[in-house]
Amino acid sequence: MSIASLQCPQPIRHRLAVAPRDYARRDRAIESYEAGEYLTAVHETLGYLLPDIEIPDLAQAPLCFVQGSARVRVHIDDDSLVLSTALMALTPAAQSTAALRYVLTRLSATGQLFQPRLHDDTVSLEFRDRLSLLHPSKLAEVLQRMAMESDSNDGWLAHRFGVEASDREPVAPLDEAEFARALDIWNTHWTTVNELMQESRRRRSVRFLDALGSYAANQVRYTLPLFGSVRAALNESADAYTDKDENPNKRDSALAKCIKEMRQVPVEELRACLGNARFAINPLHEGTPSLLTSMLGAGHRMQTTGELRAVGRSLEAALELIADYLYLLADHSWPSEVEAALRGGLDLVSGKPWREAADALWNHANQTARVYGSHGERARDDEDDGDEDEIRYDA
């Protein structure tokens, strides 16, 4: 095999500066709702979901917040709460019928709490419910999912069907130096994945394919601030080749197709789909000490990886560990200390030979789980009770 190591470049994607949620506000929202104070419950729920935004009196003024490229609007209409986000504007030059068919089949579903609506030539995702029926848990689910769907699909719709982006938030593009580095990361990544895929086919190992699929998707998600059509295409492909319930041969074919498509993305299209956006609602899952323990601690997952090291299968062990670190960083948000520790593990093994990388990251993973995992959190609680500088994040 020609590739002897993996590069783990520093991310161009900005670290998300999202304030931690105040779970006491969520509890107060539920208490207010159960007491019949419905408008207060709505305000407390919005304060819990949007900790960085000052929530106005919705009875007097509407609220608009930005989620990636989506602008989500919230207002009171009589005794109902209305949420809406414009998705696309149909034009004579657009493939309007095909765009509407996609929206109705992919973004609409029986029983879904929010639905697409057509007003004149603008398609929006909307939700309306009476305040007396709007439990805080329902509002939280709708607001997060609707904002996510709008941000995830608007760019792809414009690219695929020629519709216009209506009432969308512009994303700050990368400067020339950032784009040059992003292009190098992009090209190097897919070349590396292609070589690893040949090794996967030679070994015929589902476990190797699992690790490779995770690495292929999450390395790009972590390092590059993708949005629009390229992000949508990557996510759709990743859903296929990372599906562990699917036939391995189909997953292999899906990954091969993804590699080919990603390497053929025109430079200008990639440039148009790179930029650091603002997010009012944290788009990532909140990382927890128990997750660190389960992924990096002394459990079954690390035990099986250790068995690979013990029998000299360093490539598989290193790839699994690197893929796990990238998953934790790409899909989850962490306190700055934990994120720095995880990033430090990748810096430790970037460009190192397989055996050296596997040994170093194995030891680093165990240390990270001891310090920041579930057991480490309890130990810090015992030692530093009342210390304001202590790392606290909900498990």
Side-chain angles (χ1 to χ4, degrees), residues 228-245:
S229 58
V230 175
R231 181 183 64 179
L234 175 63
N235 289 344
E236 185 174 3
S237 296
D239 287 344
Y241 64 70
T242 60
D243 184 358
K244 295 182 181 180
D245 294 328

Side-chain angles (χ1 to χ4, degrees), residues 275-328:
N276 286 291
R278 294 183 293 132
F279 295 91
I281 300 175
N282 188 353
L284 305 177
H285 298 99
E286 291 188 49
T288 64
S290 59
L291 176 62
L292 286 178
T293 298
S294 66
M295 294 285 292
L296 306 180
H300 176 72
R301 189 181 190 90
M302 286 291 284
Q303 180 182 351
T304 55
T305 303
E307 292 171 356
L308 293 176
R309 292 175 59 237
V311 297
R313 295 166 64 179
S314 300
L315 189 159
E316 289 124 305
L319 181 61
E320 285 187 1
L321 289 165
I322 291 172
D324 285 347
Y325 270 63
L326 288 170
Y327 165 72
L328 291 171

Side-chain angles (χ1 to χ4, degrees), residues 94-380:
Q95 301 176 44
S96 300
T97 302
L100 289 172
R101 184 183 298 114
Y102 177 88
V103 169
L104 291 173
T105 56
R106 298 292 293 272
L107 303 182
S108 176
T110 302
Q112 183 173 287
L113 293 174
F114 60 90
Q115 298 290 348
R117 297 286 185 266
L118 177 63
H119 300 287
D120 297 327
D121 292 328
T122 299
V123 177
S124 301
L125 297 179
E126 294 185 4
F127 168 81
R128 174 189 289 265
D129 205 355
R130 291 171 56 188
L131 294 175
S132 59
L133 301 177
L134 193 56
H135 190 279
S137 297
K138 180 196 289 188
L139 175 57
E141 178 186 354
V142 171
L143 203 55
Q144 293 178 96
R145 288 194 58 215
M146 193 173 80
M148 179 187 69
E149 289 289 351
S150 182
D151 174 52
S152 298
N153 288 278
D154 59 342
W156 188 87
L157 286 166
H159 174 78
R160 176 64 180 82
F161 301 113
V163 299
E164 290 186 354
S166 174
D167 191 30
R168 312 303 294 172
E169 184 72 12
V171 176
L174 303 183
D175 61 32
E176 288 301 321
E178 288 176 324
F179 178 70
R181 192 159 72 88
L183 184 61
D184 180 63
I185 290 173
W186 178 266
N187 291 332
T188 301
H189 174 71
W190 293 113
T191 298
T192 300
V193 173
N194 187 57
E195 291 194 39
L196 288 171
M197 185 177 174
Q198 305 312 313
E199 183 68 12
S200 174
R201 286 177 167 175
R202 185 182 71 80
R203 295 173 183 242
R204 305 300 296 174
S205 166
V206 174
R207 183 170 175 175
F208 191 92
L209 180 61
D210 290 343
L212 176 57
S214 178
Y215 169 79
N218 290 316
Q219 169 85 314
V220 175
R221 288 169 176 165
Y222 168 58
T223 56
L224 301 181
L226 283 173
F227 67 95
S229 58
V230 175
R231 181 183 64 179
L234 175 63
N235 289 344
E236 185 174 3
S237 296
D239 287 344
Y241 64 70
T242 60
D243 184 358
K244 295 182 181 180
D245 294 328
E246 186 56 87
N247 183 289
N249 290 326
K250 290 185 178 180
R251 293 173 60 195
D252 178 274
S253 298
L255 179 55
K257 181 181 178 183
C258 177
I259 294 170
K260 181 179 180 180
E261 291 177 347
M262 294 300 104
R263 297 178 80 176
Q264 292 177 347
V265 171
V267 172
E268 289 308 311
E269 182 182 349
L270 180 62
R271 182 193 294 269
C273 292
L274 285 169
N276 286 291
R278 294 183 293 132
F279 295 91
I281 300 175
N282 188 353
L284 305 177
H285 298 99
E286 291 188 49
T288 64
S290 59
L291 176 62
L292 286 178
T293 298
S294 66
M295 294 285 292
L296 306 180
H300 176 72
R301 189 181 190 90
M302 286 291 284
Q303 180 182 351
T304 55
T305 303
E307 292 171 356
L308 293 176
R309 292 175 59 237
V311 297
R313 295 166 64 179
S314 300
L315 189 159
E316 289 124 305
L319 181 61
E320 285 187 1
L321 289 165
I322 291 172
D324 285 347
Y325 270 63
L326 288 170
Y327 165 72
L328 291 171
L329 287 165
D331 203 55
H332 299 81
S333 60
W334 303 94
S336 57
E337 295 88 345
V338 181
E339 183 173 335
L342 293 171
R343 177 64 238 182
L346 294 179
D347 291 338
L348 189 66
V349 301
S350 181
K352 298 294 178 62
W354 295 117
R355 181 173 179 177
E356 184 178 344
D359 292 344
L361 204 52
W362 165 267
N363 293 325
H364 186 277
N366 281 283
Q367 176 66 16
T368 301
R370 283 196 298 270
V371 175
Y372 298 109
S374 299
H375 301 297
E377 182 190 53
R378 286 195 290 272
R380 290 195 305 275

Side-chain angles (χ1 to χ4, degrees), residues 33-45:
Y33 177 81
E34 292 174 346
E37 300 171 359
Y38 304 125
L39 190 55
T40 300
V42 168
H43 281 91
E44 290 293 337
T45 304

